[in-house]
């Protein structure tokens, strides 16, 4: 319950001269986070409500949810279990991706001379990213095989509350253009199971729009939301009396066989 306060405290300490804002008891959990971070505009509170809702959990099998479950299975207390989960969320293939997306977009914009690029320029930049052996951040997913509904929810937010209010935003427009251009390019490589965007492909652009420009804080926001999902699941672990988790190991002979198969594939 106190995570928004902790996160807002860190935010203000790190980025806002160590000046702090008391919570407003009339506000809900998510809106209070926006308020304590220093954002009073109604639409930022609205965004934070959506952000805190869509990042809660996703099937319970992702790294942060599974880590909470794993560490909690040793009967480590919920604080320790959640802290372990946050170390997993910090990985670039997990929660850090929301920062990587915005950095990639800003890098693209800079390379293309600033302003709004064309779809052709974006397509060329995506191809260059892939040729350099890198991934297009925010695209692909371990289990999803279509556009992440959490991405669509953010597109809807942009359409309703930013464009719908007569404003536009270059970064959000680029997010949209990448969505139109990237999937066929990714599909054409024949190596990608899911060429569609996930939740991280949009979130940073919306935060930037409202002035939350400290992108190294984005994964913290993801973490505050994720606490709700993974700690609720930890309660279920206890209710259901789940045993300590211990996957099987493999023998040295098994390992040698695996390495041989990998080497064979590479040659
Ligand atoms: C998540 O919300 O954790 C991501 O979509 C990653 C996943 O579900 O594996």
């Amino acid at each position: 319950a106190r995570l928004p306060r902790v996160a807002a405290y860190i935010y203000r300490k790190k980025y806002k001269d160590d000046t702090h804002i008391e919570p407003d008891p009339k506000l809900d959990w998510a809106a209070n986070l926006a308020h304590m971070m220093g954002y009073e505009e109604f639409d930022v509170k609205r965004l934070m409500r959506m952000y805190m809702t869509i990042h809660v959990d996703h099937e319970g099998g992702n790294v942060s949810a599974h880590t909470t479950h794993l560490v909690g299975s040793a009967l480590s207390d919920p604080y320790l279990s959640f802290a372990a989960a946050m170390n997993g969320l910090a990985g670039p293939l997990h929660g850090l991706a929301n920062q990587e997306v915005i950095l990639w977009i800003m890098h693209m914009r800079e390379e293309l001379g600033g302003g709004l690029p064309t779809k052709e320029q974006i397509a060329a930049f995506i191809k260059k990213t892939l040729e350099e052996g890198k991934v297009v951040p925010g695209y692909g997913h371990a289990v999803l095989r279509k556009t992440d509904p959490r991405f669509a929810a953010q597109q809807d937010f942009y359409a309703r509350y930013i464009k719908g209010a007569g404003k536009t935003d270059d970064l959000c427009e680029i997010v949209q253009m990448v969505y139109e251009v990237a999937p066929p390019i990714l599909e054409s490589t024949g190596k990608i199971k899911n060429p569609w965007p996930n939740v991280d492909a949009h979130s940073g652009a919306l935060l930037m729009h409202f002035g939350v420009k400290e992108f190294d804080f984005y994964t913290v926001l993801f973490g505050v939301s994720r606490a709700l999902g993974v700690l609720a699941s930890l309660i279920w672990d206890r209710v259901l009396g789940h045993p300590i988790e211990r996957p099987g190991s493999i023998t040295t002979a098994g390992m040698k066989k695996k390495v041989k198969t990998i080497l064979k594939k590479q040659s």
Side-chain angles (χ1 to χ4, degrees):
R2 291 191 190 278
L3 268 180
R5 191 148 199 205
V6 174
Y9 183 86
I10 294 167
Y11 180 78
R12 304 272 323 168
K13 184 168 178 61
K14 186 158 181 207
Y15 307 110
K16 305 287 171 186
D17 298 325
D18 206 2
T19 55
H20 299 281
I21 300 169
E22 285 297 304
D24 177 348
K26 290 196 252 20
L27 288 175
D28 56 86
W29 199 73
N32 233 328
L33 173 54
H35 159 72
M36 287 186 286
M37 284 171 66
Y39 297 90
E40 292 306 345
E41 202 182 322
F42 183 77
D43 277 343
V44 185
K45 295 186 179 123
R46 202 198 302 263
L47 174 70
M48 201 60 90
R49 288 186 183 116
M50 179 187 66
Y51 192 103
M52 289 296 131
T53 305
I54 63 178
H55 288 84
V56 160
D57 191 6
H58 185 226
E59 283 199 333
N62 60 73
V63 169
S64 46
H66 184 227
T67 305
T68 311
H69 169 78
L70 168 69
V71 177
S73 82
L75 297 186
S76 305
D77 78 32
Y79 293 95
L80 297 175
S81 308
F82 182 64
M86 291 301 94
N87 287 310
L89 194 74
L93 293 184
H94 197 18
L96 196 78
N98 62 8
Q99 305 183 19
E100 309 245 306
V101 168
I102 207 71
L103 284 174
W104 181 79
I105 292 178
M106 290 194 314
H107 176 58
M108 167 164 67
R109 218 162 56 143
E110 206 180 289
E111 264 209 29
L112 300 176
L116 205 57
T118 63
K119 283 189 196 164
E120 290 69 32
Q121 284 177 312
I122 293 179
F125 191 81
I126 291 172
K127 285 180 190 153
K128 183 172 152 274
T129 303
L130 296 174
E131 275 156 25
E132 286 167 359
K134 298 180 195 151
V135 296
V136 177
Y139 278 71
H141 195 271
V143 291
L144 284 172
R145 293 293 172 265
K146 58 179 185 174
T147 299
D148 190 331
R150 300 169 296 179
F151 176 85
Q154 295 176 88
Q155 277 183 308
D156 186 54
F157 187 99
Y158 176 59
R160 273 188 207 211
Y161 304 117
I162 300 177
K163 271 197 142 170
K167 299 175 217 153
T168 53
D169 181 285
D170 273 8
L171 290 178
C172 293
E173 290 295 323
I174 294 174
V175 166
Q176 186 56 38
M177 285 198 266
V178 174
Y179 180 45
E180 284 163 39
V181 166
I185 300 176
L186 294 173
E187 216 156 20
S188 71
T189 65
K191 292 185 203 148
I192 292 158
K193 282 196 194 139
N194 172 35
W196 304 106
N198 60 54
V199 65
D200 300 317
H202 209 317
S203 53
L206 287 174
L207 288 166
M208 287 287 272
H209 174 80
F210 289 109
V212 188
K213 298 200 163 118
E214 301 83 6
F215 48 80
D216 52 350
F217 196 73
Y218 292 176
T219 311
V220 178
L221 293 175
F222 191 155
V224 174
S225 166
R226 181 111 324 174
L228 283 182
V230 300
L231 293 171
S233 292
L234 191 63
I235 292 173
W236 276 109
D237 291 348
R238 298 279 192 273
V239 171
L240 300 171
H242 278 155
I244 189 163
E245 195 177 297
R246 195 179 192 291
S249 52
I250 64 165
T251 60
T252 309
M255 183 63 98
K256 279 184 181 162
K257 209 169 143 194
K258 270 191 183 215
V259 174
K260 258 191 200 156
T261 320
I262 294 169
L263 291 177
K264 211 169 161 189
K265 265 194 200 155
Q266 283 175 353
S267 61

